[in-house]
Amino acid sequence: MDAVSVLQKEFCKVNSKHKELQEGLSNLDDLVAAVENNQDLDCNWYLNQVKTELTNISVSHKDWHGSISRFGKVIDKQLTENVSFFTNRDLLSGRNSQLLHQLICEHFLRQGNLELVEKFVQDSGHKLEECKKRPFVDLNQIVGSLKKRDLLPALKWCENNRPALKKRGSSLEFMLHRLNFITLIKERNTAGALKYAQILGQFVETHKKQLQRLMGSLLYVSTGIENSAYSDLIDPQHWSDICDLFTKEACSLMGLSKESPLSITVDAGCKALPALNSIRQVMEAKQLWGLKDELPCEVDLGPSCQFHSLFACPILRAQCTKSNPPMRLECGHVISNDALKRLAISNKVKCPYCPQETSPSEAKQIYF
């Protein structure tokens, strides 16, 4: 197992412990909110629940710090290779330097680290316009509210951007209302849930099956939804998912990718370095180098780092265009429209990669 795989495995352990800690804190917040919102409660029962949760949080916190300590030791043990051979300082000069600074600023703005961005701009001399910072400030304020389980700012944002969200076919607004409804069910507020169901009526055409499940959960308000077949509806993971979904939709409306370009670049570099390091001697000799900046081997970065904005036909060896779009055959292979026409014989096309025959009319155009 290479160093990257070992580090990834250890990081997953750290992340798992952190999620356990976050879940415990979330449960504690729920207990506190329940006491604040309802005075006619069994105080002794809630006090015992709080004590139990605090004990669990203490254990989770200790385990988390232990896993972080082990992770640091694994880093020191595994990352012993000298990768200075692969660095090119010329790439970080001139205009490229400004682009790198922009990527760093955008990365930390996405995370809401505004103070860090200000300090970086001050030290690097990079000019960051206020108009580019403002959308990220708003985004992080809403995400911060979602993490506190306050849905109102996000719902207001959806209302202001409803036409654009509908055009994208987004389910964000429904998912936010869904969480509001589930919160009422969890609090055993039958009257409130029935009243809120009227708001959900606007989503019947697009989310019929999910609405049927939500209405079915009403049957278990009195007995407790956590002991029913609908217990998955109150999974705390839904709150993390809604934060990710909101970030994705907000970034899309701003013309940005959901993931930080800097994160993607670092991730790709971490995956590529082991393969490049294994052929280090060959690269130093430059025996297999062709054009400048061309890699002497193919590096598999996995599906998460595959982006196809362009398509080159494997038959005609030409880039597809609007007048010659890529076409998907029934077997799943893709060729250009011109190649499809050339291969068509008696209204039949035999796939050049597999024996399956299909009709040209059955081919579907691919959009990137």
Side-chain angles (χ1 to χ4, degrees):
M1 184 181 293
D2 57 32
V4 174
S5 298
V6 174
L7 290 175
Q8 188 174 22
K9 183 178 179 181
E10 289 298 321
F11 178 77
C12 287
K13 293 180 181 178
V14 175
N15 195 38
S16 176
K17 296 296 182 183
H18 181 255
K19 286 182 177 179
E20 290 179 8
L21 179 59
Q22 289 293 101
E23 185 176 345
L25 292 171
S26 176
N27 292 338
L28 185 61
D29 289 339
D30 289 345
L31 290 170
V32 173
V35 173
E36 290 176 346
N37 296 331
N38 193 341
Q39 302 299 325
D40 300 326
L41 295 174
D42 185 351
C43 294
N44 290 330
W45 183 84
Y46 272 93
L47 184 60
N48 290 331
Q49 290 293 108
V50 169
K51 288 180 178 179
T52 301
E53 207 59 57
L54 285 173
T55 301
N56 294 336
I57 290 173
S58 177
V59 173
S60 298
H61 189 262
K62 183 178 180 180
D63 291 344
W64 181 45
H65 271 280
S67 61
I68 291 176
S69 178
R70 288 191 296 273
F71 185 54
K73 294 177 181 178
V74 171
I75 291 177
D76 294 337
K77 182 178 180 180
Q78 296 293 330
L79 300 184
T80 57
E81 293 286 349
N82 181 11
V83 296
S84 60
F85 171 77
F86 303 104
T87 59
N88 186 346
R89 295 188 177 277
D90 293 337
L91 292 176
L92 303 180
S93 60
R95 183 173 180 273
N96 288 339
S97 176
Q98 292 300 315
L99 290 174
L100 178 61
H101 291 166
Q102 183 178 332
L103 283 177
I104 294 173
C105 287
E106 181 183 313
H107 175 78
F108 289 114
L109 282 172
R110 284 170 179 260
Q111 296 181 337
N113 294 324
L114 302 181
E115 293 183 4
L116 181 59
V117 171
E118 293 293 343
K119 182 62 177 175
F120 176 80
V121 168
Q122 180 182 345
D123 292 346
S124 65
H126 178 70
K127 295 181 180 180
L128 182 64
E129 299 176 5
E130 185 65 27
C131 61
K132 292 184 178 180
K133 187 196 305 183
R134 186 71 248 175
F136 289 105
V137 174
D138 296 339
L139 185 153
N140 282 286
Q141 285 177 346
I142 296 176
V143 171
S145 297
L146 288 174
K147 289 180 178 179
K148 296 177 182 177
R149 305 200 174 187
D150 180 7
L151 299 173
L152 289 179
L155 285 170
K156 186 172 180 58
W157 182 90
C158 287
E159 183 180 343
N160 295 335
N161 295 277
R162 187 171 292 159
L165 291 172
K166 282 188 174 181
K167 187 176 180 180
R168 282 178 45 80
S170 171
S171 62
L172 174 62
E173 188 172 7
F174 168 75
M175 299 304 289
L176 290 168
H177 282 298
R178 176 178 176 269
L179 277 175
N180 254 341
F181 182 83
I182 293 171
T183 300
L184 293 171
I185 294 292
K186 188 176 179 181
E187 294 173 353
R188 303 188 180 186
N189 186 348
T190 306
L194 287 172
K195 186 176 180 179
Y196 203 86
Q198 298 176 7
I199 299 176
L200 295 175
Q202 61 183 304
F203 302 103
V204 170
E205 293 184 2
T206 53
H207 299 85
K208 183 177 179 180
K209 290 186 177 180
Q210 292 192 57
L211 282 173
Q212 288 174 342
R213 287 208 75 211
L214 291 177
M215 296 306 107
S217 66
L218 284 168
L219 299 172
Y220 297 91
V221 174
S222 58
T223 58
I225 189 176
E226 60 274 4
N227 300 317
S228 70
Y230 300 92
S231 59
D232 59 290
L233 294 177
I234 59 174
D235 189 338
Q237 183 61 36
H238 292 312
W239 289 96
S240 298
D241 293 342
I242 201 65
C243 291
D244 292 339
L245 180 59
F246 177 82
T247 302
K248 175 185 176 182
E249 296 296 343
C251 287
S252 295
L253 293 190
M254 288 191 291
L256 302 172
S257 61
K258 178 192 173 185
E259 300 295 336
S260 163
L262 184 63
S263 295
I264 294 173
T265 303
V266 172
D267 183 47
C270 290
K271 292 177 179 177
L273 271 176
L276 294 176
N277 197 46
S278 65
I279 58 164
R280 182 173 179 176
Q281 298 301 323
V282 177
M283 293 180 69
E284 286 177 335
K286 298 184 180 180
Q287 296 176 355
L288 299 178
W289 284 71
L291 299 175
K292 185 180 179 181
D293 297 330
E294 178 183 334
L295 291 175
C297 67
E298 183 176 354
V299 179
D300 182 14
L301 299 180
S304 63
C305 291
Q306 291 181 4
F307 307 94
H308 298 282
S309 56
L310 300 174
F311 178 78
C313 177
I315 305 301
L316 300 182
R317 306 289 182 182
Q319 182 177 309
C320 287
T321 61
K322 290 184 178 180
S323 59
N324 179 32
M327 307 294 291
R328 180 186 182 277
L329 304 179
E330 280 191 306
C331 57
H333 292 111
V334 181
I335 60 177
S336 67
N337 190 46
D338 288 349
L340 178 66
K341 293 177 180 178
R342 293 189 187 187
L343 293 173
I345 301 176
S346 300
N347 203 32
K348 288 288 183 182
V349 174
K350 184 175 182 180
C351 176
Y353 292 99
C354 66
Q356 185 170 334
E357 288 189 352
T358 184
S359 170
S361 61
E362 296 296 326
K364 304 295 183 183
Q365 183 174 341
I366 299 293
Y367 297 89
F368 293 106

